[in-house]
Amino acid sequence: MDLFEYQGKQFFARFGIPVSPGDTADAVDDAVAVADRIGYPVVVKAQVQVGGRGKAGGIQLADTSDEVRAHAESILGMDIKGHVVRRLWIERASDIEAEYYASFTLDRSAKRHLGMLSAKGGVDIEQVAEEDPAAIARIHIDPVAGLSEEQTRAWVAEAGLDERATDGAVDILQKLYRAYTEGDADLVEINPLILTPEGKLHALDAKVTLDGNASFRHPEWDELEGLESIDERERLAHEKGLQYVGLDGTVGVIANGAGLAMSTCDVVNQVGGQPANFLDIGGGASAEVMANALEVINTDDKVKAIFINIFGGITKGEDVANGIVTALGRVELRSPIVIRLDGTNAEEGRAILAAHESDTLISKPTMLEAARAAVELAKGA
Ligand code: GDP
Ligand code: MN
């Protein structure tokens, strides 16, 4: 679960990480009122879950109410890489002497947490990693032993920050590590972490991904989830307990198992099509689950054909086929369906589907043939 910057900053603040005072605004007048309250100069910041807002014009400094008004007008409704801005975060502007980068995430292959710290912050960290990898100081942390102050100090020294930043950085990194572990996050990133002319450090941006598997012990997260989901399809899918990720193509994809769902998207691409989504319905393929999946895909206007790719394991082919047929009776679909059914009792399943075949319900024996048929249908529509 990704947080917006302002939510990330609220999360950081709970762990004692310094952030600028500010508030959200969903309308121009509110933005001016917030700015008047916190005092000038302020920064008007687009709240979208995508990086590079600064470059896109979604972050503007303002010295007066009129400037806030003008910036709020231009940023609200702005499209930043496909994300429409519906909310602003207004905060007291900071003076910047240096911009650093700091993050914690999990390094699965090392079976350790990974901390990254760089004196080259403010810019895209992927770019730094590519052009000047030595500028990023890395530390692997044993999750049981944790991160000691001593280790943190050595790590900060390696990163080559300004001397005045040392103590502040050690303090913030220890708090950030606590936020990451105790706060049940998969990623915490501060870019930029700034040094002010007064020699103080604080978080000017916040990127936080919470670990959804830990939501059961965080009742306070319900509030975050309810706030805003940009993609209506994803909201509906989430409500129905489906693993769904919205994409931009025209071929709706339903598969059982995350690996198969990914392969299905790949095959659709391979034969010249574009998946409209990733949707994993999990192990079983009951009529209930199938109907839910079809309903979600049906809300997507861009979908011109649906590709159902099921490999029966424990669930038998005939049960899958019956599930699909029942689901089709429940949902009035706008697009034709191509089904590839394989695995346990595939023959029996295909026989059931054969009895229902039509122009809008096509069964193909292999994944590749099914993908071709679905892509052709999507293009022809
Ligand atoms: P991003 O572009 O989406 O990563 O958004 P950031 O919140 O990181 O802001 C981008 C850049 O805007 C920062 O790297 C700063 O250079 C600049 N910026 C943001 N807030 C302030 C501020 O309070 N004062 C000044 N002078 N610049 C700021
Ligand atoms: Mn940033």
Side-chain angles (χ1 to χ4, degrees), residues 21-25 27-44 62-70 72 89-93:
D23 207 345
T24 57
V28 176
D29 286 339
D30 294 343
V32 174
V34 169
D36 285 347
R37 196 171 69 236
I38 59 180
Y40 295 89
V42 296
V43 208
V44 181
D63 287 319
T64 63
S65 300
D66 286 346
E67 281 178 27
V68 170
R69 184 170 294 281
W89 169 251
I90 319 280
E91 70 175 26
R92 179 85 54 75

Side-chain angles (χ1 to χ4, degrees), residues 206-352:
K207 189 169 166 191
V208 175
T209 304
L210 298 174
D211 178 359
N213 293 316
S215 61
F216 70 94
R217 55 185 174 210
H218 293 281
E220 77 277 12
W221 288 2
D222 290 351
E223 217 174 296
L224 298 172
E225 271 178 307
L227 258 173
E228 218 163 336
S229 173
I230 296 156
D231 194 320
E232 177 59 22
R233 301 170 298 171
E234 289 187 5
R235 194 194 56 74
L236 185 66
H238 191 81
E239 222 175 73
K240 294 182 183 290
L242 298 168
Q243 297 294 324
Y244 177 99
V245 180
L247 303 168
D248 294 328
T250 56
V251 180
V253 167
I254 298 176
N256 63 333
L260 185 61
M262 276 190 261
S263 313
T264 309
C265 289
D266 284 348
V267 171
V268 166
N269 268 315
Q270 192 191 321
V271 299
Q274 295 280 320
N277 64 274
F278 164 100
L279 203 172
D280 167 20
I281 57 170
S286 68
E288 175 72 23
V289 173
M290 192 57 78
N292 283 341
L294 287 170
E295 235 167 67
V296 169
I297 288 187
N298 213 27
T299 60
D300 186 345
D301 295 336
K302 289 200 295 273
V303 170
K304 300 294 178 238
I306 299 170
F307 179 8
I308 302 180
N309 192 4
I310 303 291
F311 194 93
I314 296 166
T315 314
K316 294 197 203 83
E318 56 266 42
D319 295 340
V320 174
N322 282 325
I324 293 171
V325 171
T326 309
L328 288 176
R330 284 193 210 164
V331 188
E332 199 171 319
L333 290 176
R334 294 179 298 99
S335 359
I337 295 190
V338 181
I339 302 166
R340 174 261 188 164
L341 178 58
D342 211 336
T344 313
N345 293 5
E347 290 300 325
E348 288 84 342
R350 283 182 205 152
I352 293 168

Side-chain angles (χ1 to χ4, degrees), residues 45 51-53 59 122-123 189-192 204-206:
K45 308 186 78 174
R53 296 167 300 161
I59 293 180
V123 291
E189 184 187 81
I190 308 178
N191 188 23
L204 212 60
D205 193 4

